[in-house]
Amino acid sequence: MKVAVLGGTGSIGIGLSLRLAISGYNVIVGSRSKDKAKEKAEEYKKILRSEGHEVKIDYAENEKAAEICDVAILAIPCEYIYSTAERLKEALNGKIVVSPAVPMRREGKTFFYNPPPEGSAAEKIASILKDSKVISAFHTIPAKKFADLNSEFVWDVPVCGDDSNAKTVIINVVNSIKGLRALDAGPLSSSRLVESLTPLLINVALRNDMHDLGVRFV
Ligand SMILES: NC(=O)c1ccc[n+]([C@@H]2O[C@H](COP(=O)([O-])OP(=O)(O)OC[C@H]3O[C@@H](n4cnc5c(N)ncnc54)[C@H](OP(=O)(O)O)[C@@H]3O)[C@@H](O)[C@H]2O)c1
């Protein structure tokens, strides 16, 4: 299965690209710039080779990556994710599209959930990508630790979506990554509950000298 990580050159994109390639998915690193995508894909292959993984990683401009993939993960900051979804709408028709987006605002040292009027980032994306199957996941994964292939973690990943087949595909994608356990967290409208966990994790980390917090349901 071809998984495009659009904005796969950024913080959360690194861990997703590396770890999904290890899982055996045909990963395409997407970027606004083909040169940047190529450079990052080479860098990721080097990291993987140094860890003993001889795997293929492809690269493409976001639009091309969206066209050729089966699943697209929108690893793009919230400020730009909606306009990117608009731009890639045609290319993403019929595809499974994953939103890890967490809209937040900051007041001094405190982060707050800052959803759009649609209720959550995922629902706003679904309102744009009417012909795609939008699923939300990966919101509570701390990017830095996730990118480090030598780090160990046990995190749960709540997955939300309205298309049960697409949700099952993404649950399998999540479960393919060592240390992650996917949990069905309900319809896409439940994304607002999951997205709001991330500012809480950041606020707790900041005040208690903790790092790289994730969630576990026990
Ligand atoms: N960081 C985390 O720990 C974390 C954890 C969970 C979820 N998330 C969510 O994951 C998403 C990505 O977060 P991130 O921290 O990985 O972001 P990021 O590193 O700041 O940016 C990711 C990529 O977005 C692309 N980008 C930047 N400006 C853009 C624009 N104007 N239009 C289109 N693409 C643009 C860039 O790729 P190119 O320059 O190559 O195009 C960049 O490498 C966000 O929605 C965030 O809420 C992040």
Side-chain angles (χ1 to χ4, degrees):
M1 192 167 78
K2 289 186 185 150
V3 181
V5 186
L6 308 183
T9 55
S11 306
I12 196 75
I14 303 172
L16 285 168
S17 301
L18 294 174
R19 293 177 185 278
L20 292 174
I22 291 171
S23 294
Y25 291 104
N26 186 346
V27 170
I28 308 157
V29 176
S31 167
R32 288 166 295 171
S33 148
K34 193 175 174 184
D35 288 343
K36 187 174 171 186
K38 181 180 181 188
E39 190 187 308
K40 285 290 172 181
E42 293 300 334
E43 187 184 314
Y44 297 166
K45 272 191 276 189
K46 216 167 164 183
I47 294 171
L48 289 165
R49 229 175 278 131
S50 72
E51 297 290 328
H53 303 283
E54 266 314 322
V55 295
K56 195 166 146 249
I57 293 199
D58 290 325
Y59 63 88
E61 260 179 66
N62 283 335
E63 184 149 20
K64 179 75 181 166
E67 265 167 32
I68 61 179
C69 74
D70 304 297
V71 170
I73 304 177
L74 300 180
I76 291 170
C78 286
E79 305 93 282
Y80 316 118
I81 203 167
Y82 311 120
S83 54
T84 303
E86 290 278 5
R87 218 171 31 251
L88 302 179
K89 197 173 166 166
E90 293 290 306
L92 291 170
N93 264 358
K95 310 284 172 82
I96 298 176
V97 176
V98 180
S99 168
V102 177
M104 288 188 285
R105 67 185 163 81
R106 186 179 182 164
E107 279 177 30
K109 286 184 180 165
T110 308
F111 288 81
F112 293 94
Y113 181 44
N114 188 28
E118 287 79 359
S120 63
E123 287 165 278
K124 180 161 178 165
I125 290 165
S127 76
I128 298 165
L129 300 176
K130 288 193 168 46
D131 296 317
S132 304
K133 298 157 200 161
V134 178
I135 301 293
S136 72
F138 300 114
H139 315 87
T140 54
I141 300 292
K144 200 170 162 206
K145 186 162 184 173
F146 193 54
D148 176 3
L149 292 183
N150 292 310
S151 69
E152 290 198 3
F153 48 78
V154 183
W155 293 320
D156 285 334
V157 176
V159 179
C160 304
D162 296 332
D163 183 302
S164 59
N165 290 334
K167 185 151 62 173
T168 301
V169 170
I170 299 310
I171 284 175
N172 291 334
V173 166
V174 172
N175 284 333
S176 76
I177 298 175
K178 187 168 173 259
L180 299 187
R181 177 178 66 162
L183 294 172
D184 186 342
L188 199 67
S189 56
S190 292
S191 300
R192 56 191 79 173
L193 301 173
V194 186
E195 292 175 5
S196 71
L197 293 173
T198 303
L200 173 65
L201 290 172
I202 296 172
N203 293 334
V204 169
L206 283 173
R207 283 165 179 75
N208 297 277
D209 195 21
M210 298 169 92
H211 302 276
D212 306 313
L213 298 183
V215 297
R216 279 188 77 186
F217 294 82
V218 287

